Amino acid sequence: MTAIFLCWSSFAWPHADHDPGLRGVYKGMPEGDLLVIYPKDDLRNFRHQPQDDWLTYNKPLDDPFHALITFHFHDGKLSQWRLNDRSEVIKEYLGEFCYYQDPDVIYQAVRNVLQRMPYKDFLNVTNRQRPVLFTEFYDSGTARFASSSEFIMTKEDPPCCKEGFTIVKLGMGLGLSRTPGPIEAVVAHELAHRVLDSIRKGKVDCDAERASNRLIRKWGFAKEFKEASRLFGQKKGDPAACQELRN
Ligand SMILES: [Zn+2]
């Protein structure tokens, strides 16, 4: 029994020090030395604070068990690394690709959906070669007529958008919801279009709307979907409305 258990455990969870993907990586190593092993151009996401840097890469080298690896540097020295740390990666991702913070309830909803959706779909929609950009969309006030955003790439930034990008415009009217739940359904619906690739496949009809709604229920957003329908649902007779089929 014990022998089998040990055998299994060493197979499933190789000790980090013996992980071939981390050859040459050690606590305290200077950031510049790590960048020789993990080049900056391969970065997936990153986050900078005055004394701290987080760098996330796709696939730890030679490691078949994990999709992502995040290195944390304090004062330029490697302090730790984590595998598949989704909440950190979301912080990094939204810092770069989410173009507003207010109202906070919308930002929270975006973060929650990225946290809750299936992992492979999360990796798909946060792929920096085809990222999803979250932007504001005003339907009242002076900004409803026009507004501009500027996307800046510095020489520090790893390459992005080789395969284009998706823009998800979140109406400020969503802020009418006091809780993130109904907004999560709206965000998940838009991300489901992206996962299904509706727009690139030219599917922009009511069937595509229903397919997206079916997918978010599969993801576990059935309750939020109901709340959203009550709060933001289109009225009968609205020419743009797609009624859900009864079956
Ligand atoms: Zn839709």
Side-chain angles (χ1 to χ4, degrees):
M1 230 10 213
T2 308
I4 292 167
F5 174 77
L6 283 174
C7 179
W8 167 250
S9 97
S10 67
F11 168 73
W13 290 282
H15 192 277
D17 289 346
H18 301 128
D19 187 327
L22 297 175
R23 236 182 339 220
V25 174
Y26 57 93
K27 280 193 184 172
M29 82 187 287
E31 196 166 333
D33 289 359
L34 184 102
L35 290 173
V36 174
I37 303 171
Y38 284 87
K40 201 176 64 188
D41 280 359
D42 293 344
L43 263 177
R44 177 190 174 92
N45 302 106
F46 57 90
R47 188 158 71 93
H48 296 308
Q49 279 183 0
Q51 289 175 307
D52 294 274
D53 273 343
W54 290 262
L55 308 178
T56 297
Y57 295 81
N58 289 310
K59 290 199 188 311
L61 296 172
D62 307 323
D63 176 354
F65 297 105
H66 299 93
L68 303 174
I69 187 163
T70 302
F71 298 103
H72 176 202
F73 294 88
H74 183 69
D75 285 336
K77 300 266 197 287
L78 182 60
S79 68
Q80 61 168 328
W81 57 85
R82 285 181 187 277
L83 297 160
N84 290 358
D85 183 352
R86 192 185 325 198
S87 61
E88 167 58 27
V89 174
I90 290 171
K91 261 189 233 165
E92 296 170 15
Y93 183 81
L94 294 180
E96 203 180 1
F97 295 110
C98 183
Y99 287 89
Y100 67 92
Q101 303 273 317
D102 262 341
D104 187 55
V105 70
I106 297 180
Y107 182 84
Q108 278 174 42
V110 172
R111 195 188 55 203
N112 294 351
V113 173
L114 292 175
Q115 188 68 49
R116 285 176 56 191
M117 67 195 297
Y119 200 65
K120 79 169 173 25
D121 296 327
F122 163 73
L123 294 177
N124 172 353
V125 301
T126 59
N127 166 13
R128 80 177 291 109
Q129 297 314 328
R130 192 185 165 196
V132 175
L133 277 54
F134 296 95
T135 71
E136 302 158 321
F137 177 75
Y138 291 94
D139 49 17
S140 63
T142 50
R144 77 184 186 277
F145 298 113
S147 70
S148 303
S149 302
E150 194 68 42
F151 305 106
I152 298 162
M153 295 288 291
T154 71
K155 65 178 179 19
E156 297 304 313
D157 294 330
C160 88
C161 311
K162 201 172 65 193
E163 299 161 29
F165 52 84
T166 304
I167 300 178
V168 169
K169 287 164 272 188
L170 297 170
M172 291 295 100
L174 293 173
L176 293 173
S177 175
R178 300 250 181 89
T179 56
I183 309 170
E184 286 171 24
V186 174
V187 172
H189 173 97
E190 295 307 323
L191 293 179
H193 277 311
R194 162 58 191 272
V195 167
L196 296 167
D197 228 358
S198 317
I199 299 175
R200 288 197 183 187
K201 289 178 178 162
K203 294 181 183 163
V204 289
D205 55 6
C206 285
D207 281 347
E209 295 308 317
R210 290 185 197 110
S212 188
N213 290 338
R214 271 198 303 278
L215 184 56
I216 73 166
R217 284 192 288 253
K218 228 163 97 187
W219 285 352
F221 290 92
K223 182 171 84 72
E224 291 81 0
F225 177 75
K226 266 196 194 144
E227 293 170 358
S229 307
R230 234 179 295 133
L231 206 55
F232 309 125
Q234 285 152 323
K235 306 283 173 286
K236 265 201 180 122
D238 180 339
C242 290
Q243 300 302 325
E244 286 293 308
L245 298 177
R246 294 210 170 271
N247 56 8

